[in-house]
Amino acid sequence: MLNKRTFLAGIALAALSACGRRIKPYYGPQVTRLVIYKEKRRLYILHGAEVIKEYKIGLGGNPVGAKQFVGDGKTPEGSYFIDRRNPNSAYHLSIGISYPNKEDVARAAALGQNPGGDIFIHGQANKHLGLGNDWTAGCIAVTDAEIEEIYAMVPLGVQIDIWP
């Protein structure tokens, strides 16, 4: 019986250590802002005015224009902040964007629509490889390795500006 317990404890420890390797600690400059340029398909991570890191991104399946309502396939445009983290994302890892803001809600209401929500920067979980650049429902996609870096770098509350 002791051997079985030791074996199970070893498996549990290995599983926990594998999860720990998923997110490496970040020791660089404090991230103060994220900027996305949709047309360029780029995400810039900044410390003040200095670009710390740049990533190529994928967007919603209908990338031109600002998100207006659920199901339009667009990525939002405007100023938001990082408001949540999901280590158990279906897309490897994800960090949440505070969409919709008051203006987004008012714009959707004027159209008689629901503005939607659940906009994230997330990985691909490898199952979306080869789908082209713009395959999300309005989120911002990077590779799984890149979302691991971003997840470690970006704390809650950081401003994110999304430009056309």
Side-chain angles (χ1 to χ4, degrees):
M1 190 68 150
L2 184 60
N3 288 340
K4 185 176 181 182
R5 284 185 193 173
T6 303
F7 176 74
L8 292 174
I11 289 176
L13 184 60
L16 286 174
S17 67
C19 290
R21 279 182 263 151
R22 215 169 145 186
I23 305 168
K24 295 178 183 164
Y26 173 69
Y27 299 108
Q30 178 185 7
V31 173
T32 58
R33 188 169 159 223
L34 288 85
V35 177
I36 291 175
Y37 290 99
K38 291 170 52 175
E39 187 175 352
K40 292 180 182 181
R41 303 297 194 281
R42 293 288 184 268
L43 161 62
Y44 299 93
I45 297 184
L46 293 95
H47 170 76
E50 175 191 353
V51 175
I52 300 170
K53 196 84 178 195
E54 174 185 343
Y55 298 94
K56 184 177 177 186
I57 59 171
L59 300 169
N62 187 10
V64 177
K67 182 162 197 63
Q68 295 183 3
F69 51 83
V70 169
D72 66 6
K74 295 179 184 281
T75 300
E77 294 174 2
S79 290
Y80 304 95
F81 62 91
I82 301 302
D83 66 350
R84 58 202 182 279
R85 301 165 68 80
N86 184 358
N88 300 311
S89 173
Y91 300 96
H92 192 57
L93 293 168
S94 60
I95 58 173
I97 297 171
S98 64
Y99 174 87
N101 60 27
K102 290 178 185 178
E103 293 82 14
D104 298 319
V105 171
R107 186 180 317 111
L111 297 170
Q113 297 283 338
N114 177 340
D118 287 335
I119 301 297
F120 289 86
I121 299 171
H122 60 65
Q124 297 177 317
N126 293 324
K127 59 188 169 192
H128 296 91
L129 294 174
L131 292 181
N133 291 334
D134 300 321
W135 56 268
T136 76
C139 294
I140 293 99
V142 294
T143 69
D144 289 352
E146 290 168 340
I147 192 59
E148 290 175 14
E149 290 178 354
I150 294 165
Y151 195 92
M153 294 172 78
V154 178
L156 293 176
V158 168
Q159 180 176 332
I160 177 169
D161 295 317
I162 306 171
W163 302 107

